[in-house]
Amino acid sequence: MALQNAFVSWFRNSSPYIHAHRNKTFVISFGGEAVLAADFDHHVHDFALLNSLGIRLVLVHGIRPHIDQRLNTLNHPVLFHNNLRITDTLALQCAKEAAGLVRVEIEALLSMGLANSPMAGYELKVASGNFVTAKPIGVIDGIDYCHTGEVRRVDSAAIHQQLEQNTIVVISPIGYSPSGEIFNLSGEQVATEVAIALKAEKLILLTEKSCSNPSSGEPIKQMTADEAHKLLQQYPDMAELIRLPIKAAIHGCQAGINRVHLIDRTQDGALLLELFTHDGIGTLISSTPFEELRTATLNDIGGILELIKPLEQQGILAKRSREKIEMEINDYIIIERDGLIIGCTALHANPHEQFGAIACLAVHADYQGAARGQRLFDYACLTAKKLKLQTLFVLSTQTTHWFIERGFVLSDVNNLPEPLKKLYNPQRNSKVLYKTVE
């Protein structure tokens, strides 16, 4: 029974993300190492699942290890400079062979009737093509990169045409010039430029290791693009396996992609956990803060009601109607985390009589213990100070000591200002506390 309840709870919690992701465009990048891995079919099943949920999917694969293997077989040197391949004529031939081989393998795995898989019997359409126009990198610091190129233009209209037909688009890190030349490209760069050109909702980079703080080893759950840039500056010796994806994420955010996800592809199901759970499992790099404290709007009423309902049922908060919250919505302060309201409070101010009341302080059970309640409280106090209020009141049944620890003093109902005294509910028998605004 516990297992059934856990499944039902998970499914209900994932439903907002299923709705939010439908008809959105995601660009997913993964290296050639992922293709060579024994569990690559698991990723393919997850790609197919995303497609079945209505997500418009573009897959950009890498081929670096395939080229290296082929060059080693031919006893030809593998040449790199600044972590960028020098693609001579033989290396280009190997790149073309590798791109064709990997693309065909991915298309085969995505084909109809994935037997004995979660997507058995589901028909998938896959397309690829010369969507990327490239130009040569040329000579940098005296090094001729030969046939190594960079993205010049992405045919976004042609890709969108395929996506509108519910087709998964597979793009190789190979580009073509108008004169017919072929160039070997960086998979991360191709994925980023494709996501920018498509104005994708998400760029997802499946990495070879998790993104962690180099000094503490602690996983990094989220960063803004500015914070990610500072991290690279602070740790210039960070491993290229994660440095390159972070640089790609920063570029993507700066070019208008709101959300870039770095996910360790070695963790089974990591893609689904990142996209369909509240906290995810990877690293989110965003153009704006992932968690935001702000004044509420009318669009937040549903989220506020959902947040406070359990606390009302427990008698911790007084019951509030939708109409009452709507009338007082400008008094509410919320913490929003990736579209989910996880905290709220209200400051009902009476500037004429120079007092205010803090009410409806609530934090979602899954997000308690990280000082979010304190953040809401501090913001309300700061607002009271800006409004030049002299006294703050609180009516509380079960959180009295929390407010006492923050400078409030117990008082009596008779000491309440008349407007608050009229609203006092004797049946709740709430404790009255007050504090001078400092």
PDB file of all heavy atoms in Angstrom, residues 79-96:
ATOM      1  N   LEU A  79      44.989  15.064 -32.735  1.00  0.00           N
ATOM      2  CA  LEU A  79      45.520  16.400 -32.499  1.00  0.00           C
ATOM      3  C   LEU A  79      44.476  17.325 -31.881  1.00  0.00           C
ATOM      4  O   LEU A  79      43.371  17.472 -32.413  1.00  0.00           O
ATOM      5  CB  LEU A  79      46.022  17.006 -33.815  1.00  0.00           C
ATOM      6  CG  LEU A  79      47.082  16.192 -34.571  1.00  0.00           C
ATOM      7  CD1 LEU A  79      47.385  16.836 -35.917  1.00  0.00           C
ATOM      8  CD2 LEU A  79      48.350  16.074 -33.732  1.00  0.00           C
ATOM      9  N   PHE A  80      44.839  17.936 -30.733  1.00  0.00           N
ATOM     10  CA  PHE A  80      43.977  18.919 -30.073  1.00  0.00           C
ATOM     11  C   PHE A  80      44.823  20.128 -29.681  1.00  0.00           C
ATOM     12  O   PHE A  80      46.020  20.011 -29.420  1.00  0.00           O
ATOM     13  CB  PHE A  80      43.338  18.332 -28.807  1.00  0.00           C
ATOM     14  CG  PHE A  80      42.178  17.417 -29.071  1.00  0.00           C
ATOM     15  CD1 PHE A  80      42.384  16.061 -29.280  1.00  0.00           C
ATOM     16  CD2 PHE A  80      40.880  17.910 -29.115  1.00  0.00           C
ATOM     17  CE1 PHE A  80      41.319  15.213 -29.518  1.00  0.00           C
ATOM     18  CE2 PHE A  80      39.808  17.061 -29.348  1.00  0.00           C
ATOM     19  CZ  PHE A  80      40.025  15.711 -29.548  1.00  0.00           C
ATOM     20  N   HIS A  81      44.170  21.277 -29.625  1.00  0.00           N
ATOM     21  CA  HIS A  81      44.796  22.475 -29.080  1.00  0.00           C
ATOM     22  C   HIS A  81      43.701  23.266 -28.379  1.00  0.00           C
ATOM     23  O   HIS A  81      42.642  23.549 -28.957  1.00  0.00           O
ATOM     24  CB  HIS A  81      45.435  23.325 -30.183  1.00  0.00           C
ATOM     25  CG  HIS A  81      46.157  24.530 -29.656  1.00  0.00           C
ATOM     26  ND1 HIS A  81      47.352  24.436 -28.976  1.00  0.00           N
ATOM     27  CD2 HIS A  81      45.838  25.855 -29.701  1.00  0.00           C
ATOM     28  CE1 HIS A  81      47.755  25.640 -28.636  1.00  0.00           C
ATOM     29  NE2 HIS A  81      46.846  26.522 -29.068  1.00  0.00           N
ATOM     30  N   ASN A  82      43.929  23.606 -27.097  1.00  0.00           N
ATOM     31  CA  ASN A  82      42.909  24.288 -26.288  1.00  0.00           C
ATOM     32  C   ASN A  82      41.589  23.520 -26.293  1.00  0.00           C
ATOM     33  O   ASN A  82      40.510  24.093 -26.406  1.00  0.00           O
ATOM     34  CB  ASN A  82      42.693  25.724 -26.781  1.00  0.00           C
ATOM     35  CG  ASN A  82      43.853  26.628 -26.458  1.00  0.00           C
ATOM     36  OD1 ASN A  82      44.619  26.378 -25.514  1.00  0.00           O
ATOM     37  ND2 ASN A  82      44.036  27.684 -27.252  1.00  0.00           N
ATOM     38  N   ASN A  83      41.733  22.213 -26.172  1.00  0.00           N
ATOM     39  CA  ASN A  83      40.582  21.301 -26.097  1.00  0.00           C
ATOM     40  C   ASN A  83      39.720  21.323 -27.361  1.00  0.00           C
ATOM     41  O   ASN A  83      38.555  20.932 -27.338  1.00  0.00           O
ATOM     42  CB  ASN A  83      39.704  21.613 -24.878  1.00  0.00           C
ATOM     43  CG  ASN A  83      38.914  20.403 -24.428  1.00  0.00           C
ATOM     44  OD1 ASN A  83      39.457  19.312 -24.260  1.00  0.00           O
ATOM     45  ND2 ASN A  83      37.612  20.561 -24.267  1.00  0.00           N
ATOM     46  N   LEU A  84      40.281  21.764 -28.464  1.00  0.00           N
ATOM     47  CA  LEU A  84      39.565  21.800 -29.740  1.00  0.00           C
ATOM     48  C   LEU A  84      40.327  20.969 -30.757  1.00  0.00           C
ATOM     49  O   LEU A  84      41.544  21.132 -30.917  1.00  0.00           O
ATOM     50  CB  LEU A  84      39.438  23.249 -30.215  1.00  0.00           C
ATOM     51  CG  LEU A  84      38.457  23.548 -31.343  1.00  0.00           C
ATOM     52  CD1 LEU A  84      37.030  23.169 -30.934  1.00  0.00           C
ATOM     53  CD2 LEU A  84      38.503  25.031 -31.695  1.00  0.00           C
ATOM     54  N   ARG A  85      39.628  20.062 -31.436  1.00  0.00           N
ATOM     55  CA  ARG A  85      40.291  19.165 -32.366  1.00  0.00           C
ATOM     56  C   ARG A  85      40.823  19.908 -33.589  1.00  0.00           C
ATOM     57  O   ARG A  85      40.154  20.794 -34.136  1.00  0.00           O
ATOM     58  CB  ARG A  85      39.313  18.080 -32.842  1.00  0.00           C
ATOM     59  CG  ARG A  85      39.997  16.995 -33.707  1.00  0.00           C
ATOM     60  CD  ARG A  85      39.003  16.004 -34.262  1.00  0.00           C
ATOM     61  NE  ARG A  85      38.291  15.279 -33.214  1.00  0.00           N
ATOM     62  CZ  ARG A  85      38.779  14.217 -32.586  1.00  0.00           C
ATOM     63  NH1 ARG A  85      39.993  13.771 -32.891  1.00  0.00           N
ATOM     64  NH2 ARG A  85      38.055  13.610 -31.670  1.00  0.00           N
ATOM     65  N   ILE A  86      42.029  19.538 -33.977  1.00  0.00           N
ATOM     66  CA  ILE A  86      42.579  19.992 -35.254  1.00  0.00           C
ATOM     67  C   ILE A  86      42.183  18.933 -36.278  1.00  0.00           C
ATOM     68  O   ILE A  86      42.689  17.811 -36.258  1.00  0.00           O
ATOM     69  CB  ILE A  86      44.103  20.155 -35.189  1.00  0.00           C
ATOM     70  CG1 ILE A  86      44.470  21.204 -34.129  1.00  0.00           C
ATOM     71  CG2 ILE A  86      44.671  20.542 -36.553  1.00  0.00           C
ATOM     72  CD1 ILE A  86      45.960  21.281 -33.828  1.00  0.00           C
ATOM     73  N   THR A  87      41.255  19.276 -37.145  1.00  0.00           N
ATOM     74  CA  THR A  87      40.675  18.294 -38.061  1.00  0.00           C
ATOM     75  C   THR A  87      41.389  18.338 -39.402  1.00  0.00           C
ATOM     76  O   THR A  87      41.040  19.120 -40.304  1.00  0.00           O
ATOM     77  CB  THR A  87      39.165  18.558 -38.244  1.00  0.00           C
ATOM     78  OG1 THR A  87      38.541  18.700 -36.968  1.00  0.00           O
ATOM     79  CG2 THR A  87      38.505  17.404 -38.988  1.00  0.00           C
ATOM     80  N   ASP A  88      42.409  17.502 -39.552  1.00  0.00           N
ATOM     81  CA  ASP A  88      43.076  17.407 -40.854  1.00  0.00           C
ATOM     82  C   ASP A  88      42.213  16.569 -41.790  1.00  0.00           C
ATOM     83  O   ASP A  88      41.108  16.127 -41.443  1.00  0.00           O
ATOM     84  CB  ASP A  88      44.496  16.860 -40.702  1.00  0.00           C
ATOM     85  CG  ASP A  88      44.538  15.482 -40.071  1.00  0.00           C
ATOM     86  OD1 ASP A  88      43.501  14.785 -40.074  1.00  0.00           O
ATOM     87  OD2 ASP A  88      45.604  15.088 -39.557  1.00  0.00           O
ATOM     88  N   THR A  89      42.719  16.283 -42.977  1.00  0.00           N
ATOM     89  CA  THR A  89      41.914  15.597 -43.991  1.00  0.00           C
ATOM     90  C   THR A  89      41.466  14.213 -43.534  1.00  0.00           C
ATOM     91  O   THR A  89      40.295  13.833 -43.697  1.00  0.00           O
ATOM     92  CB  THR A  89      42.708  15.487 -45.304  1.00  0.00           C
ATOM     93  OG1 THR A  89      43.070  16.798 -45.750  1.00  0.00           O
ATOM     94  CG2 THR A  89      41.862  14.822 -46.388  1.00  0.00           C
ATOM     95  N   LEU A  90      42.389  13.435 -42.925  1.00  0.00           N
ATOM     96  CA  LEU A  90      42.018  12.102 -42.469  1.00  0.00           C
ATOM     97  C   LEU A  90      41.044  12.174 -41.297  1.00  0.00           C
ATOM     98  O   LEU A  90      40.079  11.389 -41.214  1.00  0.00           O
ATOM     99  CB  LEU A  90      43.268  11.316 -42.071  1.00  0.00           C
ATOM    100  CG  LEU A  90      43.029   9.851 -41.669  1.00  0.00           C
ATOM    101  CD1 LEU A  90      42.341   9.087 -42.793  1.00  0.00           C
ATOM    102  CD2 LEU A  90      44.349   9.175 -41.294  1.00  0.00           C
ATOM    103  N   ALA A  91      41.261  13.123 -40.382  1.00  0.00           N
ATOM    104  CA  ALA A  91      40.352  13.281 -39.246  1.00  0.00           C
ATOM    105  C   ALA A  91      38.952  13.663 -39.723  1.00  0.00           C
ATOM    106  O   ALA A  91      37.948  13.220 -39.149  1.00  0.00           O
ATOM    107  CB  ALA A  91      40.887  14.326 -38.276  1.00  0.00           C
ATOM    108  N   LEU A  92      38.872  14.491 -40.778  1.00  0.00           N
ATOM    109  CA  LEU A  92      37.568  14.859 -41.324  1.00  0.00           C
ATOM    110  C   LEU A  92      36.858  13.634 -41.883  1.00  0.00           C
ATOM    111  O   LEU A  92      35.654  13.458 -41.682  1.00  0.00           O
ATOM    112  CB  LEU A  92      37.729  15.925 -42.407  1.00  0.00           C
ATOM    113  CG  LEU A  92      36.421  16.344 -43.095  1.00  0.00           C
ATOM    114  CD1 LEU A  92      35.457  16.980 -42.085  1.00  0.00           C
ATOM    115  CD2 LEU A  92      36.696  17.296 -44.260  1.00  0.00           C
ATOM    116  N   GLN A  93      37.616  12.775 -42.579  1.00  0.00           N
ATOM    117  CA  GLN A  93      37.018  11.549 -43.110  1.00  0.00           C
ATOM    118  C   GLN A  93      36.471  10.681 -41.972  1.00  0.00           C
ATOM    119  O   GLN A  93      35.369  10.137 -42.058  1.00  0.00           O
ATOM    120  CB  GLN A  93      38.061  10.766 -43.914  1.00  0.00           C
ATOM    121  CG  GLN A  93      37.534   9.492 -44.569  1.00  0.00           C
ATOM    122  CD  GLN A  93      36.419   9.755 -45.565  1.00  0.00           C
ATOM    123  OE1 GLN A  93      36.431  10.774 -46.267  1.00  0.00           O
ATOM    124  NE2 GLN A  93      35.428   8.862 -45.606  1.00  0.00           N
ATOM    125  N   CYS A  94      37.232  10.589 -40.903  1.00  0.00           N
ATOM    126  CA  CYS A  94      36.784   9.823 -39.735  1.00  0.00           C
ATOM    127  C   CYS A  94      35.556  10.459 -39.095  1.00  0.00           C
ATOM    128  O   CYS A  94      34.656   9.757 -38.621  1.00  0.00           O
ATOM    129  CB  CYS A  94      37.919   9.719 -38.710  1.00  0.00           C
ATOM    130  SG  CYS A  94      39.349   8.769 -39.267  1.00  0.00           S
ATOM    131  N   ALA A  95      35.511  11.797 -39.081  1.00  0.00           N
ATOM    132  CA  ALA A  95      34.363  12.502 -38.518  1.00  0.00           C
ATOM    133  C   ALA A  95      33.103  12.230 -39.330  1.00  0.00           C
ATOM    134  O   ALA A  95      32.020  12.007 -38.759  1.00  0.00           O
ATOM    135  CB  ALA A  95      34.647  14.006 -38.463  1.00  0.00           C
ATOM    136  N   LYS A  96      33.245  12.224 -40.653  1.00  0.00           N
ATOM    137  CA  LYS A  96      32.079  11.952 -41.494  1.00  0.00           C
ATOM    138  C   LYS A  96      31.579  10.533 -41.287  1.00  0.00           C
ATOM    139  O   LYS A  96      30.366  10.293 -41.202  1.00  0.00           O
ATOM    140  CB  LYS A  96      32.431  12.190 -42.970  1.00  0.00           C
ATOM    141  CG  LYS A  96      32.673  13.656 -43.305  1.00  0.00           C
ATOM    142  CD  LYS A  96      32.778  13.896 -44.804  1.00  0.00           C
ATOM    143  CE  LYS A  96      34.056  13.307 -45.381  1.00  0.00           C
ATOM    144  NZ  LYS A  96      34.198  13.622 -46.821  1.00  0.00           N
TER     145      LYS A  96
END
